[in-house]
Amino acid sequence: MKVHQTGAAFLLAALSLATVSGPSALAQTTAAAITDPSALLNAATSKFNAYVGLMNRTLRVEDSINRYRSWVNMKTGPTGKERYIDYGLYEVYDVSRETAAAEAAAGREPAMSELDAAVKAFIAANNTISPLLNQAAGYYQRKDYLADKMAQGRELHAKLLPAIDAYEAARARLEVTFRIEKDKADQQRLDAIEKQEGRQAKWQRTNVMWKIRRVMDVLPSNGRQAVDLSVFDAALNDYAGAIKDMVAFIGSNPGALSSFSSTPNQLLGDLRGLREQLARTKGDPRRMSNGLQSIVNQYNMLVQMSNSGIYDDR
């Protein structure tokens, strides 16, 4: 999806987090001080948010890599005769602030050994590739290849290939480990809500938001890989179960979740339609119609509104 500018919005929405109840200052406490479940969830949320900030800001790196791939033969490298050579590369953003925040978060509790290590490896990979991308972006913008007969372009390509491989491997590892830890935290958050007030409106909304995120996580992150239909089906069935629970709750509590329920219901229908398209294309997102963009847009809007607290959990 990232190739179509869908990915940036998808990742932002999929990984954005709403804080849990409790004083935000508790998010910075030490391991010894974190004994209350709400404080522990706040501390985890603080860590997640720092990691999300870095992951979102570095989406520009993937945009730049995809831009380069769109016109150059990655196996043979640039020759100067490419039809769309003027596309060049995108200059990437300065992420020093986000990097510092993520590095600090990696040293805070609660410890998440796999995720914390994945973040550190990703930072190293990003620090390697970003200067190369910016150097290459300037090189093609200035058309220096006309002056040096692509000499530096070939040198940069030889450096970019391993840097791209390392970056993409590090990012893939980070996204997987992030989702594993985020699922654990979401389950804990859901359990805490149920313990406090039962499966009322807040629990229903939180459950729906968790399950729809898991569906969106299954969709490809780079627009090229096929969707694993068995994994997609399992996530979609879980989401359908959450919607069924919500509908039953609303039936017993008229007026509850009235401002929230419409979009999740629509998304379930649209996702089932998407599943039919995926079946016809054997999971290949490149052969689908543009229905995916509408789903992503709806999901982004739902997450943003949910995180902003706009919904009244009556």
Side-chain angles (χ1 to χ4, degrees):
M1 291 189 296
K2 286 167 187 159
V3 233
H4 310 295
Q5 286 298 316
T6 311
F10 165 66
L11 188 59
L12 176 64
L15 302 182
S16 62
L17 300 164
T19 56
V20 297
S21 59
S24 59
L26 291 174
Q28 307 299 329
T29 54
T30 64
I34 302 178
T35 56
D36 178 74
S38 293
L40 189 61
L41 282 172
N42 276 330
T45 298
S46 175
K47 175 172 283 198
F48 289 148
N49 283 339
Y51 293 168
V52 167
L54 178 63
M55 292 166 75
N56 285 341
R57 185 73 170 166
T58 51
L59 281 169
R60 181 71 168 181
V61 171
E62 297 182 62
D63 289 342
S64 185
I65 293 170
N66 286 331
R67 182 79 165 182
Y68 188 52
R69 280 188 173 126
S70 73
W71 62 266
V72 75
N73 184 319
M74 296 298 285
K75 291 183 179 180
T76 60
T79 64
K81 299 179 181 179
E82 289 80 7
R83 182 176 181 182
Y84 298 110
I85 192 171
D86 286 347
Y87 282 7
L89 297 85
Y90 295 127
E91 191 171 325
V92 301
Y93 302 139
D94 174 29
V95 295
S96 53
R97 182 174 61 181
E98 291 80 7
T99 297
E103 288 175 332
R108 290 201 303 264
E109 295 294 331
M112 303 173 185
S113 57
E114 289 295 322
L115 177 57
D116 295 340
V119 166
K120 293 174 184 177
F122 176 72
I123 289 172
N126 184 66
N127 286 344
T128 297
I129 196 171
S130 291
L132 291 173
L133 292 173
N134 284 342
Q135 188 179 356
Y139 176 80
Y140 287 104
Q141 184 180 43
R142 295 187 300 269
K143 293 183 171 55
D144 286 347
Y145 54 87
L146 296 177
D148 70 359
K149 298 181 180 179
M150 195 56 79
Q152 190 178 7
R154 289 189 293 270
E155 291 176 10
L156 283 169
H157 185 79
K159 294 176 181 178
L160 278 169
L161 284 181
I164 288 172
D165 287 344
Y167 175 88
E168 292 183 333
R171 185 168 191 106
R173 176 190 173 197
L174 175 56
E175 290 183 0
V176 168
T177 53
F178 182 95
R179 285 163 178 163
I180 289 171
E181 292 297 336
K182 180 66 169 61
D183 271 344
K184 293 177 185 177
D186 282 341
Q187 183 65 67
Q188 292 168 357
R189 179 177 289 107
L190 202 61
D191 291 345
I193 293 171
E194 183 173 9
K195 185 177 180 180
Q196 284 182 334
E197 55 192 66
R199 297 192 173 192
Q200 299 301 308
K202 184 177 181 180
W203 186 94
Q204 298 292 341
R205 179 173 62 82
T206 303
N207 188 42
V208 165
M209 293 303 299
W210 176 25
K211 299 302 170 56
I212 181 59
R213 177 184 64 80
R214 296 183 74 187
V215 176
M216 300 301 290
D217 283 350
V218 177
L219 296 176
S221 62
N222 59 20
R224 294 185 300 277
Q225 67 197 69
V227 177
D228 186 325
L229 293 181
S230 63
V231 176
F232 183 84
D233 286 344
L236 186 57
N237 287 338
D238 282 347
Y239 178 54
I243 294 294
K244 183 178 180 180
D245 288 345
M246 181 184 70
V247 170
F249 172 78
I250 293 172
S252 302
N253 299 270
L257 297 171
S258 57
S259 62
F260 171 77
S261 59
S262 176
T263 301
N265 282 327
Q266 180 65 48
L267 273 169
L268 179 57
D270 290 349
L271 284 164
R272 282 172 169 160
L274 176 66
R275 175 60 177 82
E276 293 300 307
Q277 291 189 59
L278 288 170
R280 290 193 294 270
T281 65
K282 297 182 180 180
D284 188 345
R286 294 170 299 182
R287 296 166 55 199
M288 296 188 330
S289 65
N290 201 34
L292 180 58
Q293 182 68 57
S294 173
I295 290 172
V296 171
N297 290 343
Q298 288 182 75
Y299 173 67
N300 290 342
M301 179 184 69
L302 184 66
V303 172
Q304 290 165 7
M305 293 177 73
S306 182
N307 285 352
S308 70
I310 197 170
Y311 294 118
D312 180 15
D313 292 328
R314 294 193 293 118

